[in-house]
Amino acid sequence: MDLPRHHVIREGDLRILNPYDPGKLATLGQAIRLRPGDTLLDLGSGKGELLCTWARDHGIAGTGVDVSTAFTAAARDRAAELGVADRVRFVHGDAAAFVPEGPVDVAACLGATWIGGGVPGTLGILARALRPGGMVLVGEPYWRLDPPDEETVRACHASAREDFHDLAGLVTLFGDLGWDLVEMVLADQDSWDRYAAAHWLNLRRWLDANPGDELAGELRRELTGEPLRHVRRREYLGWGVFALIPR
């Protein structure tokens, strides 16, 4: 079980594998009022930046689970670098099937709601890990504006408009599923640009260094087309993290 190699190449040396920057990640940790000793489960933890920096800054402990061996190794290295390896651990495996040792204060899934087949299923997975009164964090895209055509929809990595809600629709969905929205921190166009454009540079550097690799043709096509796809979608697609407490 592992992610395809092109995902690792694309992310390169990025530490945050979503359209957040370090400031927004820090703002989220402050906004949800983390307390020393809180426990957190991060499903789809990537390279562990959320858990590692929040353990350093807020004194929390927790576990991250990710399907990528490369990302899990990078997360463990980051924990050692920040001096928090005694409070956080990272597990390589299926996030949807992971069972924590006990209920946690915060359960998170930022940008990987595919683990539950979408938002409703992912909230169900997160809910079963929570202590009574605990909080979940869900990172999810939404439509900022209605996409004008199918080309824009495809540029947003969607197969149909119905794949995403608009912001009001997403908030309505949370309520319909029995959750109170208690905080949100949204990406902005600059943080989207930084995330997207970092991929282009990672791809170009890798292509320069590996012209004969079996993935070179595929990644060359991606680099050729992705900047235009990004500028087509940047007015239309938003992303944010939503803090929810069950009613």
Side-chain angles (χ1 to χ4, degrees):
M1 177 186 297
D2 209 339
L3 277 182
R5 189 162 58 103
H6 61 81
H7 288 287
V8 177
I9 295 167
R10 186 183 301 115
E11 300 295 348
D13 59 358
L14 290 175
R15 287 177 172 165
I16 301 174
L17 310 186
N18 59 55
Y20 262 9
D21 57 29
K24 289 190 180 295
L25 188 62
T27 294
L28 178 63
Q30 295 162 1
I32 64 172
R33 304 176 193 176
L34 292 168
R35 298 162 297 185
D38 279 351
T39 53
L40 191 150
L41 174 66
D42 188 7
L43 298 180
S45 52
K47 296 184 182 179
E49 193 71 358
L50 180 151
L51 263 176
C52 291
T53 57
W54 287 4
R56 177 195 64 192
D57 297 341
H58 300 282
I60 68 164
T63 300
V65 185
D66 200 274
V67 71
S68 168
T69 54
F71 294 168
T72 302
R76 291 169 180 156
D77 289 344
R78 184 64 167 154
E81 178 186 358
L82 296 185
V84 296
D86 59 332
R87 282 183 279 135
V88 299
R89 71 183 182 113
F90 293 96
V91 177
H92 170 245
D94 180 359
F98 181 79
V99 178
E101 295 176 354
V104 298
D105 298 294
V106 181
C109 180
L110 273 57
T113 55
W114 50 265
I115 69 169
V119 170
T122 300
L123 287 176
I125 292 170
L126 295 172
R128 71 191 186 201
L130 278 187
R131 66 161 178 79
M135 176 185 295
V136 304
L137 303 176
V138 176
E140 183 71 1
Y142 60 89
W143 295 121
R144 297 178 66 242
L145 297 171
D146 188 41
D149 50 43
E150 292 306 306
E151 187 174 19
T152 305
V153 170
R154 290 192 299 272
C156 295
H157 304 292
S159 58
R161 285 173 171 82
E162 293 73 24
D163 287 355
F164 306 139
H165 297 271
D166 64 12
L167 189 54
L170 192 55
V171 172
T172 299
L173 175 64
F174 296 146
D176 289 345
L177 293 171
W179 296 81
D180 285 326
L181 177 63
V182 296
E183 257 296 356
M184 66 181 190
V185 178
L186 305 181
D188 55 33
Q189 286 179 312
D190 182 65
S191 59
W192 261 115
D193 290 344
R194 299 282 59 72
Y195 181 53
H199 289 163
W200 312 336
L201 184 57
N202 289 339
L203 290 172
R204 178 53 195 263
R205 295 294 191 230
W206 184 89
L207 286 166
D208 287 347
N210 300 275
D213 191 279
E214 62 182 3
L215 286 179
E218 174 188 342
L219 296 185
R220 161 39 65 192
R221 289 188 294 273
E222 179 177 337
L223 177 57
T224 300
E226 188 57 26
L228 180 57
R229 286 190 289 269
H230 174 69
V231 299
R232 286 187 186 279
R233 68 176 171 253
R234 71 189 300 275
E235 300 294 329
Y236 298 95
L237 190 64
W239 192 88
V241 179
F242 304 87
L244 309 167
I245 297 177
R247 292 175 181 164

